[in-house]
């Protein structure tokens, strides 16, 4: 494997790339996500030797091989468990989990639930392409109802899971969303995720050109993007549209969002909700928005940090040793029940 | 009467005698007899369902300790926990990450270690068996001693992760406290039926080292040995214990810490010529290169690696070479473990009684009694089940007959026959109860027509 020598010089995005030939299909959205991660790490001045990418199985899971950092390509769905062990052994490491909709929400759904609720300090980037790519196109747990695939020739009958709602339900303290093609936005979201202490969950809508091309066109196509995406920012009004004059507000007397147009029907800028990323109830409403009635919410939807799992675990451990360091094992063998001597 | 029922459960005694006595005693008052029977059965059932395994069932008299020294009482679980800590110390590792999921009878080890945080162990109750071993593997990858513990059904769940640990050649200790099976089986009853699972129970050619503890105190030494092999050979090691050993207590000579083995781990730090599968010529172990080490950034995973570069490779000949390298590495451990000795009797003769695990006491006493009757029998007890000690085949061939008593339907006997082409015969008990000495004596007599 590649041996990289660390220099004091500032690292460029390309310095985070390994020398391995990339094996994704030409045109796959994964390339853009890889590029964004390289840029986010360079911008943050991440040390390669302290950075670890952990993945499960799937197209996305090849990610660690294309990084010049430490990497562990594990087994299907289990990356969060391995990442948890890494953080328990060495909380100083900057650990990223790269997963997909099948890896993270189907076979690995249980681990995803627990890594989020425990709040292990890792960044989880879920590449959602609503399909199983590596195994050639079966429908996935995020595929929309009616998806025709080799395993569902008449269309799928089950209802999809919403990654964002799942993460919030699991107790995640950081939930964000972006799109593979929104390079600058994605870099910004990844940097926020990295800076967040505790589990950060980032869903990236990723186009699989081979098995599910255009799955997100309804809100990512250039001609509709402005009217179908809302880029949320803490403290800023929830406005969208080409003229930034459409907004979200609560329906009077109802806990329900509606789209309004500022300047129409007596609506003023003051009627529009202001994004509060620490408000869990608002986050739940934002992740549920879907076109055509609503825009898709992108950006940091929820961020409300608490101490990370490993920080709490180590606090207990140091309290147990009362700052004295590990005692000699001989102390362990002492017993209240008494000893006896055989001579 | 209820308490008596519970006592009978704790000591693994039959209820029949008492039930008969009750029926006779209250023959004229069937409703009283019935009430007593119900209470007795309820107490017994309570023991069974409350899974109060730390109180029973079963009780075996152990040989008295004779080596001079300071003694105390220790349970198998304590000895195992302390052995792991002693192994961590011997390897010079700062941290142990012990990850488990609640399962009878293995949970006791998790509880014991959870209370020993001041000794540098972090315990982690994972969301399931898979996550428990996953966290232990992640910890090993990051440079800590990774340990997980479970029982048979949990072992089954850990299988795929064991394959990953084998493919990525990371050190790992997996404690399996065996219980009756298959499936949920008899959670509180001891059995030795996970041997096949430990040795062979994975997809593909996936060898790892397997050790078994024979007595409560032996758990201490075997745990240290498991850590030694795991870290020296960069391999998962399965340590087989069982429901009986987990609870058994016996006198233990407190060891002299200075005399315990030392096998300090050397983490790889030199970037020159480094790749993650560069093997140490003697042990074939790959380097242990922790994240955090500058210049050693590398990627590992479950995909096949090129022998010479560590890159992903699907080359047919390379796969054959890597498969052989993994097998040779584990087989080579045989050169680094003690030769098999005879626990009692001569190293040749009419009959070898070969056992492993918690049957030690019954086999030892059985052979002793047979010998007192003038029968030419010897007791051989195996700690190393994969690989076997390198003299084992030759030793077994020096006996006319080989009897392999096991609390399973014939697992070690099959492994011995396959490995050495010896005519070993099984003697099997799968009642969730330990062998009685008399049963062993009887089996020996039978084989030798006495
Ligand atoms: S199958 Fe789809 S997701 Fe996988 S690499 Fe190809 S385009 Fe990308």
């Amino acid at each position: 494997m590649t041996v990289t020598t660390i220099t004091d010089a500032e690292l460029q995005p390309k310095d985070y790339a390994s020398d391995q030939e990339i094996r994704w299909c030409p045109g796959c959205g994964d390339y853009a996500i890889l590029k964004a991660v390289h840029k986010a790490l360079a911008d943050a001045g991440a040390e390669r030797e302290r950075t670890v990418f952990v993945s499960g199985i799937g197209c996305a899971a090849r990610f660690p091989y294309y990084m010049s950092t430490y990497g562990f390509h594990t087994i299907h769905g289990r990356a969060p468990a391995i990442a948890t062990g890494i953080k328990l052994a060495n909380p100083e490491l900057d650990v990223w989990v790269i997963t997909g909709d099948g890896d993270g929400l189907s076979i690995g759904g249980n681990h995803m639930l627990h890594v989020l609720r425990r709040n292990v300090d890792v960044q989880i980037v879920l590449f959602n392409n609503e399909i199983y790519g590596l195994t050639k196109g079966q429908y996935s747990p995020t595929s929309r109802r009616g998806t025709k695939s080799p395993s569902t020739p008449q269309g799928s009958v089950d209802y999809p899971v919403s990654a964002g709602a799942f993460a919030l339900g699991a107790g995640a303290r950081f939930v964000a969303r972006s799109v593979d093609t929104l390079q600058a936005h994605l870099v910004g979201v990844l940097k926020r995720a990295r800076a967040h202490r505790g589990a950060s969950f980032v869903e990236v809508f990723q186009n699989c050109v081979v098995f599910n091309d255009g799955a997100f066109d309804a809100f990512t196509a250039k001609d509709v993007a402005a009217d179908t995406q809302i880029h949320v920012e803490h403290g800023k009004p929830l406005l969208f549209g080409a003229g930034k004059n459409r907004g979200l507000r609560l329906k009077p007397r109802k806990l329900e969002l509606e789209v309004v147009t500022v300047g129409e029907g007596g609506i003023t800028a003051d009627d529009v909700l202001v994004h509060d990323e620490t408000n869990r109830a608002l986050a739940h409403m934002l992740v549920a928005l879907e076109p055509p009635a609503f825009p898709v919410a992108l950006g940091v939807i929820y961020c409300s940090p608490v101490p990370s799992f490993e920080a709490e675990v180590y606090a207990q451990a140091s309290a147990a040793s009362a700052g004295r360091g590990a005692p000699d094992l001989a102390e362990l063998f002492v017993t209240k029940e008494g000893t006896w001597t055989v001579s | 009467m209820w308490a008596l029922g519970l006592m009978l459960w704790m000591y693994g005694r039959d209820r029949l005698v008492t039930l008969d006595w009750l029926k006779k005693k209250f023959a004229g008052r069937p409703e009283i007899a019935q009430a007593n029977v119900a209470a007795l059965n309820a107490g017994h059932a309570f023991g069974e369902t409350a899974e109060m395994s730390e109180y029973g069932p079963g009780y075996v008299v152990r040989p008295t300790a004779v080596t001079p020294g300071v003694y105390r009482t220790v349970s198998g679980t304590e000895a195992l926990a302390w052995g792991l800590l002693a192994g961590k110390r011997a390897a010079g590792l700062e941290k142990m990450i012990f990850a488990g999921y609640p399962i009878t009878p293995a949970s006791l080890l998790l509880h014991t270690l959870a209370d020993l945080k001041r000794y540098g162990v972090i315990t982690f109750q994972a969301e399931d068996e898979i996550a428990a071993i996953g966290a232990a593997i992640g910890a090993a990858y990051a440079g800590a001693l990774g340990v997980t513990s479970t029982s048979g059904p949990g072992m089954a769940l850990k299988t795929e992760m064991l394959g990953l640990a084998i493919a990525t050649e990371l050190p790992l200790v997996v404690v399996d406290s065996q219980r009756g099976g298959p499936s949920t089986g008899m959670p509180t009853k001891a059995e030795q039926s996970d041997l096949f699972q430990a040795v062979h129970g994975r997809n593909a050619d996936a060898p790892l080292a397997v050790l078994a503890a024979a007595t409560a105190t032996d758990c201490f030494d075997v745990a240290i040995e498991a850590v030694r092999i795991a870290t020296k050979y960069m391999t998962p090691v399965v340590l087989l214990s069982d429901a009986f050993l987990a609870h058994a207590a016996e006198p233990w000579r407190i060891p002299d810490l200075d005399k315990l083995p030392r096998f300090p781990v050397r983490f790889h730090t030199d970037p020159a010529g480094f790749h993650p599968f560069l093997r140490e010529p003697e042990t074939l172990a790959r380097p242990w290169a922790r994240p955090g080490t500058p210049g050693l950034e590398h990627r590992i995973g479950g995909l096949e690696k090129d022998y010479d570069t560590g890159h992903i490779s699907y080359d047919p000949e390379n796969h054959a070479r890597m498969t052989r390298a993994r097998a040779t590495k584990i087989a080579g451990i045989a050169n680094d473990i003690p030769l098999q000795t005879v626990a009692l009797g001569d190293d040749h003769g009419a009959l070898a009684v070969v056992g492993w695990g918690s049957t030690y006491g019954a086999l030892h006493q059985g052979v002793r009694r047979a010998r007192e009757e003038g029968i030419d029998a010897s007791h051989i007890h195996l700690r190393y089940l994969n690989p076997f000690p390198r003299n084992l085949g030759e030793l077994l061939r020096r006996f006319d007959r080989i009897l392999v008593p096991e609390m399973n339907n014939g697992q070690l006997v099959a492994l011995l026959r396959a490995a050495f082409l010896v005519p070993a015969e099984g003697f099997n008990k799968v009642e969730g109860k330990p062998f009685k000495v008399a049963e062993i004596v009887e089996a020996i007599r039978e084989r030798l027509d006495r």
Side-chain angles (χ1 to χ4, degrees), chain B residues 162 171-175 208-211 225-227 229-231 235-239:
Chain B
L162 277 173
L172 179 73
V173 177
V174 182
V175 180
L208 48 67
V210 181
L211 310 179
E225 183 66 341
V227 176
I229 292 174
T231 52
T235 178
V237 176
V238 174
L239 194 171

Coordinates of all heavy atoms in Angstrom, one line a residue, chain B residues 162 171-175 208-211 225-227 229-231 235-239:
Chain B
L162 N -15.3 -12.9 12.5 CA -14.1 -13.7 12.7 C -13.3 -13.8 11.4 O -12.1 -13.7 11.3 CB -14.4 -15.1 13.2 CG -14.6 -15.2 14.7 CD1 -15.1 -16.5 15.1 CD2 -13.3 -14.8 15.5
P171 N -5.0 -9.1 15.8 CA -5.1 -9.9 17.1 C -6.4 -9.7 17.7 O -7.0 -8.6 17.8 CB -4.0 -9.3 17.9 CG -3.8 -7.9 17.4 CD -4.2 -7.9 16.0
L172 N -7.0 -10.8 18.3 CA -8.3 -10.7 18.9 C -8.4 -12.0 19.8 O -8.0 -13.0 19.4 CB -9.3 -10.8 17.8 CG -10.8 -10.8 18.1 CD1 -11.2 -9.4 18.6 CD2 -11.7 -11.2 16.9
V173 N -9.0 -11.8 20.9 CA -9.4 -12.9 21.8 C -10.9 -13.0 21.9 O -11.6 -12.1 22.2 CB -8.7 -12.8 23.2 CG1 -9.2 -14.0 24.1 CG2 -7.2 -12.7 23.1
V174 N -11.4 -14.2 21.6 CA -12.8 -14.5 21.6 C -13.1 -15.6 22.7 O -12.6 -16.7 22.5 CB -13.4 -14.9 20.3 CG1 -14.9 -15.1 20.3 CG2 -13.0 -13.9 19.2
V175 N -13.7 -15.2 23.7 CA -14.0 -16.3 24.8 C -15.4 -16.8 24.5 O -16.4 -16.1 24.4 CB -14.0 -15.6 26.2 CG1 -14.3 -16.7 27.2 CG2 -12.7 -14.9 26.4
L208 N -7.8 -20.3 12.5 CA -7.5 -19.5 13.7 C -7.0 -20.4 14.8 O -7.2 -21.6 14.7 CB -8.6 -18.5 14.1 CG -10.0 -19.1 14.3 CD1 -10.1 -20.0 15.5 CD2 -11.0 -17.9 14.6
A209 N -6.5 -19.8 15.9 CA -6.0 -20.7 17.0 C -7.1 -20.9 18.0 O -8.0 -20.0 18.2 CB -4.8 -19.9 17.7
V210 N -7.2 -22.1 18.5 CA -8.2 -22.5 19.5 C -7.5 -23.1 20.8 O -6.7 -24.0 20.6 CB -9.2 -23.5 18.9 CG1 -10.3 -23.8 19.9 CG2 -9.8 -23.0 17.6
L211 N -7.9 -22.5 21.9 CA -7.4 -23.0 23.2 C -8.6 -23.4 24.1 O -9.7 -22.8 23.9 CB -6.6 -21.9 23.9 CG -5.5 -21.2 23.2 CD1 -4.8 -20.2 24.1 CD2 -4.4 -22.2 22.7
E225 N -2.1 -17.0 27.7 CA -1.6 -17.7 26.5 C -2.4 -17.2 25.2 O -1.8 -17.0 24.2 CB -1.7 -19.2 26.7 CG -1.2 -20.0 25.6 CD 0.4 -19.9 25.3 OE1 1.0 -18.9 25.8 OE2 0.9 -20.8 24.6
A226 N -3.7 -17.0 25.4 CA -4.5 -16.5 24.3 C -4.0 -15.2 23.8 O -3.9 -14.9 22.6 CB -5.9 -16.5 24.7
V227 N -3.7 -14.3 24.8 CA -3.2 -12.9 24.4 C -1.9 -13.0 23.7 O -1.6 -12.4 22.8 CB -3.1 -12.0 25.7 CG1 -2.5 -10.7 25.3 CG2 -4.5 -11.9 26.3
I229 N -0.6 -15.5 21.9 CA -0.7 -16.1 20.6 C -1.3 -15.0 19.7 O -0.9 -14.8 18.5 CB -1.4 -17.4 20.6 CG1 -0.6 -18.5 21.3 CG2 -1.8 -17.8 19.1 CD1 -1.3 -19.8 21.5
A230 N -2.4 -14.4 20.1 CA -3.1 -13.4 19.3 C -2.2 -12.3 18.9 O -2.1 -11.9 17.7 CB -4.3 -12.8 20.1
T231 N -1.4 -11.7 19.8 CA -0.6 -10.6 19.5 C 0.7 -11.0 18.8 O 1.2 -10.2 17.9 CB -0.2 -9.8 20.8 OG1 0.4 -10.7 21.7 CG2 -1.4 -9.1 21.4
T235 N -3.5 -12.8 15.0 CA -4.6 -13.7 14.7 C -5.7 -13.7 15.7 O -5.4 -13.4 16.9 CB -4.1 -15.2 14.5 OG1 -5.2 -16.0 14.2 CG2 -3.5 -15.7 15.8
P236 N -6.9 -14.0 15.4 CA -7.9 -14.2 16.4 C -7.6 -15.6 17.1 O -7.2 -16.5 16.4 CB -9.3 -14.3 15.6 CG -8.9 -14.2 14.2 CD -7.5 -14.0 14.0
V237 N -7.9 -15.6 18.4 CA -7.8 -16.8 19.2 C -9.1 -17.1 19.8 O -9.6 -16.2 20.5 CB -6.7 -16.7 20.2 CG1 -6.6 -17.9 21.1 CG2 -5.3 -16.4 19.6
V238 N -9.6 -18.3 19.7 CA -10.9 -18.6 20.4 C -10.5 -19.4 21.7 O -9.7 -20.3 21.6 CB -11.8 -19.5 19.5 CG1 -13.0 -20.0 20.4 CG2 -12.3 -18.7 18.3
L239 N -10.9 -18.9 22.8 CA -10.7 -19.5 24.1 C -12.0 -20.2 24.5 O -13.0 -19.5 24.8 CB -10.2 -18.4 25.1 CG -9.6 -18.9 26.4 CD1 -9.0 -17.7 27.1 CD2 -10.5 -19.6 27.3

